[in-house]
Amino acid sequence: MSPDIEALIRKISGLPGLGPRSARRIVIHLIKNREQVMEPILNGLENLYKNVKICPICSNVDSFSAICSICSDENRIKDTICIVESVADLWAVERTACFHGQYHVLKGLLSSMEGRGPEFLMLDQLQRRCEKNKVSEIIIALSATLEGQTTSHYIKDFFKNKNIKITMLAHGIPVGGELDYLDDGTLFAAFSARN
Amino acid sequence: MSPDIEALIRKISGLPGLGPRSARRIVIHLIKNREQVMEPILNGLENLYKNVKICPICSNVDSFSAICSICSDENRIKDTICIVESVADLWAVERTACFHGQYHVLKGLLSSMEGRGPEFLMLDQLQRRCEKNKVSEIIIALSATLEGQTTSHYIKDFFKNKNIKITMLAHGIPVGGELDYLDDGTLFAAFSARN
């Protein structure tokens, strides 16, 4: 194997979910399909590399304009902001098409283990935005993990007495989930929040 | 999500072993690590796209010269050729460092289902090479699948009475394998080939 190809495989194997074996398969697939597969991916990556921008308002990524397509969409509701952990989570919420407001993407969850403090939440910036746009509701849509819940409560505390409704995603049985296979915590939450 | 990013995710999700979810994770990882990860991979892919070549002698891929590094290596044995199905298999044999001869990479295994006939084996080209380099042994290193074995036997037949020793990889218990977990076919092969 030529050193160039070896170096590329090493780099690709560091991507999330990939290892040396899958990286080799991908590189061979690219080599075998130089025009049909490698060229479009190469052009797409080049385009992304040149044009990707982080929105200064909500920290979403976009490849067109400085202000992202969600913040600049005149048809979206301005007075509701949904807080998500990452752009991946923003995309997940967008796929449900059940939310038509604005977003606030965190730089990460609070974590004393990994040294992430409140500055990763950019709450001052969010508060200024709330005041400017007369935001009436903040939806905290963070994972139901320890770090996610700690961060949720920190944010809830921060906005206490600021005249903004703070809501969190409901906990309960996943749609399609069978009771028998649920963990105790989820079943307990589903019982507590019964309606 | 901007249409550019969506298009790139769709292309990446078509790579072997990947799907929409892993492609999204990869693209987000690339965006988050624009300088440290995206740039080196982009440069590596660009380099590969421009420089990748198929060796006209053995069909190995290389990114440096027209004749691949194995065919042009003066220190490698010239009179032994190992037949492999793909460049991935060539790399696998090279990693063992147990073979110091030449290769012949097939364009694919014989398969009536997928319409691959003997022309995919390029045996005439291999025969001319054998005559020119006075090759004394051909090692058939194909998978122990139905297609692999069919192809092996076809190649063995082709070189009958041509004064070249034809060998095939041994079948038996994988190193580290437990008898209890072996399939019957492998155990049978291991018994038959006991030594």
Side-chain angles (χ1 to χ4, degrees):
Chain A
M1 203 187 313
S2 85
D4 293 17
I5 297 180
E6 219 173 329
L8 181 63
I9 290 175
R10 211 172 24 250
K11 282 168 209 149
I12 290 180
S13 70
L15 294 175
L18 299 182
R21 194 175 293 263
S22 43
R24 275 198 297 272
R25 280 182 65 201
I26 287 174
V27 167
I28 287 173
H29 183 81
L30 290 173
I31 291 173
K32 273 191 181 167
N33 303 279
R34 189 170 169 274
E35 274 76 32
Q36 311 95 294
V37 181
M38 204 196 311
E39 193 174 315
I41 288 183
L42 182 58
N43 293 339
L45 268 181
E46 223 166 358
N47 186 14
L48 184 68
Y49 181 74
K50 276 187 210 140
N51 299 325
V52 71
K53 287 173 195 70
I54 307 289
C55 175
I57 299 175
C58 71
S59 306
N60 184 13
V61 296
D62 208 296
S63 60
F64 273 117
S65 44
I67 307 292
C68 80
S69 57
I70 293 176
C71 287
S72 56
D73 186 344
E74 287 301 318
N75 294 320
R76 294 187 74 112
I77 300 163
K78 298 281 170 198
D79 69 348
T80 311
I81 293 183
C82 177
I83 301 183
V84 289
E85 180 189 340
S86 65
V87 176
D89 291 353
L90 185 156
W91 292 348
V93 175
E94 282 295 291
R95 278 200 299 282
T96 67
C98 69
F99 177 70
H100 308 285
Q102 311 294 312
Y103 288 95
H104 176 73
V105 183
L106 304 180
K107 284 185 183 159
L109 299 175
L110 293 179
S111 168
S112 50
M113 291 279 283
E114 296 177 38
R116 285 195 299 267
E119 71 277 11
F120 279 77
L121 311 181
M122 301 169 295
L123 294 183
D124 293 322
Q125 182 186 331
L126 177 60
Q127 198 189 339
R128 279 194 301 275
R129 213 176 138 199
C130 290
E131 285 159 8
K132 199 178 139 202
N133 295 322
K134 303 192 172 47
V135 167
S136 60
E137 181 178 358
I138 292 177
I139 303 171
I140 307 179
L142 301 180
S143 300
T145 58
L146 184 65
E147 290 183 352
Q149 294 305 297
T150 310
T151 310
S152 295
H153 286 294
Y154 184 91
I155 296 172
K156 208 168 176 178
D157 257 16
F158 184 92
F159 283 98
K160 210 159 57 185
N161 306 326
K162 291 204 170 75
N163 207 19
I164 301 173
K165 189 174 154 199
I166 308 287
T167 55
M168 284 156 113
L169 293 192
H171 288 178
I173 309 171
V175 174
E178 294 181 55
L179 271 203
D180 210 15
Y181 288 91
L182 281 183
D183 61 295
D184 296 352
T186 303
L187 199 52
F188 182 84
F191 259 97
S192 311
R194 68 187 179 277
N195 49 31
Chain B
M1 202 187 316
S2 85
D4 294 19
I5 297 179
E6 219 174 328
L8 181 62
I9 289 175
R10 213 174 21 251
K11 283 169 208 151
I12 290 180
S13 70
L15 293 175
L18 299 182
R21 194 174 293 263
S22 43
R24 274 198 299 272
R25 280 182 66 201
I26 287 174
V27 167
I28 287 172
H29 183 81
L30 290 173
I31 291 173
K32 273 191 180 166
N33 303 279
R34 189 169 169 274
E35 274 76 33
Q36 311 93 295
V37 181
M38 205 199 307
E39 191 173 316
I41 288 183
L42 182 59
N43 294 340
L45 267 181
E46 222 166 358
N47 186 15
L48 185 67
Y49 180 75
K50 277 187 209 141
N51 299 324
V52 70
K53 288 174 193 71
I54 307 289
C55 175
I57 300 176
C58 72
S59 305
N60 183 14
V61 296
D62 209 297
S63 61
F64 273 117
S65 44
I67 308 292
C68 80
S69 57
I70 293 176
C71 287
S72 56
D73 186 344
E74 286 302 318
N75 293 320
R76 293 187 75 111
I77 300 162
K78 297 283 171 196
D79 68 348
T80 310
I81 293 182
C82 177
I83 300 183
V84 288
E85 180 189 340
S86 66
V87 176
D89 291 352
L90 185 156
W91 291 349
V93 176
E94 282 296 291
R95 278 200 300 280
T96 67
C98 69
F99 177 70
H100 308 286
Q102 310 294 312
Y103 287 95
H104 176 74
V105 183
L106 305 179
K107 283 184 184 161
L109 299 175
L110 293 179
S111 167
S112 50
M113 291 279 284
E114 296 179 37
R116 285 194 300 267
E119 69 278 9
F120 279 77
L121 311 181
M122 301 168 294
L123 293 182
D124 293 323
Q125 182 186 333
L126 177 60
Q127 198 189 338
R128 281 194 299 277
R129 212 176 139 198
C130 289
E131 284 159 7
K132 198 178 139 200
N133 294 322
K134 301 192 172 48
V135 167
S136 60
E137 181 178 357
I138 292 176
I139 303 170
I140 307 178
L142 301 180
S143 301
T145 58
L146 184 64
E147 290 184 351
Q149 295 304 297
T150 310
T151 310
S152 294
H153 286 295
Y154 184 92
I155 297 173
K156 206 167 176 179
D157 258 17
F158 183 93
F159 282 100
K160 208 159 61 183
N161 306 326
K162 289 204 169 76
N163 208 20
I164 300 173
K165 189 174 155 198
I166 308 288
T167 55
M168 282 154 115
L169 293 192
H171 288 178
I173 308 172
V175 175
E178 292 183 56
L179 271 202
D180 211 14
Y181 289 90
L182 281 183
D183 62 295
D184 296 351
T186 304
L187 199 52
F188 183 83
F191 259 96
S192 310
R194 67 187 180 278
N195 50 29

